[in-house]
Amino acid sequence: MDMFSHAFDPFAERVLPPHLGREVRCGFKALARFCPLGKEDSLEFAGGGEHIVFVARGATKLVAHASEARDQVVAFHFAGELYTVPEPDNYSYSVCALRDCELLAFASSEFLRLAAGETEIVRQLLDSTRLSLQRCREKAIALGRKTAGERIAVFLLGMADRIGVEQDGRISLELPMSRRDISESLGLTIETVSRQLSRLKDDAVIETVGRAGIVLRDRTDLKRRAGFLRGAA
Amino acid sequence: MDMFSHAFDPFAERVLPPHLGREVRCGFKALARFCPLGKEDSLEFAGGGEHIVFVARGATKLVAHASEARDQVVAFHFAGELYTVPEPDNYSYSVCALRDCELLAFASSEFLRLAAGETEIVRQLLDSTRLSLQRCREKAIALGRKTAGERIAVFLLGMADRIGVEQDGRISLELPMSRRDISESLGLTIETVSRQLSRLKDDAVIETVGRAGIVLRDRTDLKRRAGFLRGAA
DNA sequence: GCGCCGCATTGATCTGGATCAAGGAGTCCG
DNA sequence: CGGACTCCTTGATCCAGATCAATGCGGCGC
């Protein structure tokens, strides 16, 4: 089986309903642009227009270019996730591979035209969009009202939920993004990210394993440091 | 005609397709909770679960309670807009009237069940959600990477697009929200908001009319001050 | 139209995180 | 296995915006 089909299958599995007619299915297959990206490679969508991206394999960041040398990471996405890349407006956006990736990219208008009759696909897209909105709102709350320490705690808890693996009672994660990516996601500098992680290590809340590995030693304490009003325990 | 119908009609007009069957239409009418709110009144959704809100008349803020005395305004919404209020998770959310309002509130799960077969309604909801996501991403960029002056400029330009009226060649707006609301939306303090507005007034970029009135005298200059990379002119 | 109240403005000072500046340590490649 | 390069950490200083503290003034009630 070729690489494209290998990437398309998980998309179909996750987004297209099983009973979907052969023509529509082939329509999506024809519309999908297969994008293998090496680590650090970017997808630019210079052609304008909104796009829909599916991560078949790997991990990506969605970056907004606010101005010269001021980028904001809008979201991280992992294998199996579907999301929208905005049409360039006040900012330009690009998708960048955190590690080797296989993506499927669709022009949003075409995707929606194909999906128009298929409620389940529209519903799937709605659910993905709602999840993105949910995460974006939480990010806005963190950026607007949280201290550096709280943002790091929120970030680690979120990553633990998404890519953490339980290992002898502890949650362990392998961060695919650099300190720079984290700082650009949290509205901080790399120095501040580093200092906050060091503090968590000094306070025995986390352990670090090499550059990317993190083990959460005390999740309760981390939640407390996240400064949530609810579920503070 | 009663107040409820008066509020339901604009909802039906905007969200429900014209050919929609009588039963489904009545289903929505039965599901809608009519909420007249006085200025400063809040809708709390203590019952948990996600909700969908339509603003029939008035203007609202969606507020997240980050922690004791630290609220973040997630979004402002005006008449005719449809949006989702998240289920309480790490934060609790409430909808607050900026002035006298008439809202329709729906339990999200029920709304989606009713809409399940109706692609156009799901599509309408998708479009609303995409717009919310778009705005939320721009907010995240502003909160993560922009200075106080830039945030105020972005805010004024955004409000001008949404509620501004052209008046002898100038754009004039009547802000329904207080300085506190603005500061809680932009991740600043009321003092900083006030100082930045004073500076814009001193620099003859805007005029103020009473507490709420703003006239944009030099929109180009304001765009420059917004620090956009694209369309900087 | 006048006086009161609460929001808004303005000023003085403080501070969390940015910026500037060296080192240190993973990791990759030969 | 070693060398070097890049990313990360740590330390010193600075500054935008927060905080603290008085007034100012628009709008509403009487």
Side-chain angles (χ1 to χ4, degrees), chain B residues 81-126:
Chain B
E81 297 183 354
L82 185 75
Y83 62 97
T84 300
V85 181
E87 179 163 27
D89 44 46
N90 292 322
Y91 311 103
S92 67
Y93 296 85
S94 63
V95 169
C96 181
L98 299 175
R99 43 185 153 80
D100 291 0
C101 276
E102 283 168 15
L103 308 183
L104 295 180
F106 305 83
S108 186
S109 53
E110 301 291 302
F111 188 104
L112 283 167
R113 203 166 43 70
L114 258 178
E118 309 288 338
T119 307
E120 291 181 49
I121 301 178
V122 179
R123 178 58 201 271
Q124 203 62 246
L125 193 54
L126 173 61

Side-chain angles (χ1 to χ4, degrees), chain B residues 121-154:
Chain B
I121 301 178
V122 179
R123 178 58 201 271
Q124 203 62 246
L125 193 54
L126 173 61
D127 285 345
S128 301
T129 307
R130 289 202 303 171
L131 181 59
S132 292
L133 176 58
Q134 176 68 13
R135 289 193 180 135
C136 191
R137 282 173 169 168
E138 298 215 352
K139 175 183 283 257
I141 296 166
L143 295 181
R145 285 282 168 259
K146 284 188 179 293
T147 64
E150 290 171 338
R151 291 182 207 186
I152 292 288
V154 171

Side-chain angles (χ1 to χ4, degrees), chain B:
Chain B
M1 194 168 58
D2 63 313
M3 296 221 313
F4 171 61
S5 296
H6 191 62
F8 190 81
D9 284 351
F11 166 75
E13 167 85 22
R14 202 170 280 261
V15 180
L16 305 182
H19 58 70
L20 188 69
R22 187 166 192 73
E23 286 117 85
V24 182
R25 187 183 212 79
C26 288
F28 278 105
K29 207 155 186 170
L31 184 59
R33 181 154 64 98
F34 177 61
C35 306
L37 290 185
K39 187 173 174 171
E40 299 293 301
D41 286 352
S42 286
L43 213 53
E44 293 289 344
F45 304 109
E50 186 179 274
H51 286 77
I52 292 172
V53 168
F54 177 78
V55 184
R57 196 173 61 79
T60 66
K61 58 177 173 175
L62 174 61
V63 183
H65 307 288
S67 65
E68 191 62 35
R70 278 198 300 171
D71 285 351
Q72 173 70 35
V73 172
V74 172
F76 295 112
H77 291 282
F78 301 103
E81 297 183 354
L82 185 75
Y83 62 97
T84 300
V85 181
E87 179 163 27
D89 44 46
N90 292 322
Y91 311 103
S92 67
Y93 296 85
S94 63
V95 169
C96 181
L98 299 175
R99 43 185 153 80
D100 291 0
C101 276
E102 283 168 15
L103 308 183
L104 295 180
F106 305 83
S108 186
S109 53
E110 301 291 302
F111 188 104
L112 283 167
R113 203 166 43 70
L114 258 178
E118 309 288 338
T119 307
E120 291 181 49
I121 301 178
V122 179
R123 178 58 201 271
Q124 203 62 246
L125 193 54
L126 173 61
D127 285 345
S128 301
T129 307
R130 289 202 303 171
L131 181 59
S132 292
L133 176 58
Q134 176 68 13
R135 289 193 180 135
C136 191
R137 282 173 169 168
E138 298 215 352
K139 175 183 283 257
I141 296 166
L143 295 181
R145 285 282 168 259
K146 284 188 179 293
T147 64
E150 290 171 338
R151 291 182 207 186
I152 292 288
V154 171
F155 170 77
L156 289 176
L157 289 168
M159 282 300 132
D161 284 345
R162 292 175 76 183
I163 58 170
V165 293
E166 185 144 351
Q167 213 164 25
D168 39 73
R170 305 247 195 83
I171 292 158
S172 155
L173 47 151
E174 197 70 18
L175 297 178
M177 68 289 284
S178 68
R179 296 291 186 271
R180 174 157 300 281
D181 294 330
I182 298 172
S183 70
E184 288 182 352
S185 169
L186 300 180
L188 301 169
T189 58
I190 51 174
E191 291 95 329
T192 298
V193 170
S194 183
R195 273 185 257 269
Q196 293 297 333
L197 288 174
S198 296
R199 170 192 282 266
L200 290 176
K201 198 164 60 172
D202 291 347
D203 295 356
V205 182
I206 64 171
E207 281 165 26
T208 56
V209 183
R211 275 178 186 169
I214 304 255
V215 179
L216 307 193
R217 298 187 59 182
D218 190 342
R219 201 188 195 182
T220 305
D221 194 10
L222 204 54
K223 275 192 184 172
R224 194 181 49 70
R225 288 169 191 251
F228 294 138
L229 180 58
R230 306 168 53 87

Side-chain angles (χ1 to χ4, degrees), chain A residues 50 70 89 130 134 145, chain B residues 50 89 130 134 145:
Chain A
E50 185 178 276
R70 277 197 300 171
D89 44 47
R130 289 201 303 172
Q134 176 67 14
R145 284 281 168 262
Chain B
E50 186 179 274
D89 44 46
R130 289 202 303 171
Q134 176 68 13
R145 285 282 168 259

Side-chain angles (χ1 to χ4, degrees), chain A residues 191-204:
Chain A
E191 291 95 329
T192 298
V193 170
S194 184
R195 272 186 257 269
Q196 293 297 334
L197 288 174
S198 295
R199 170 192 283 264
L200 289 177
K201 198 163 60 170
D202 291 348
D203 294 357

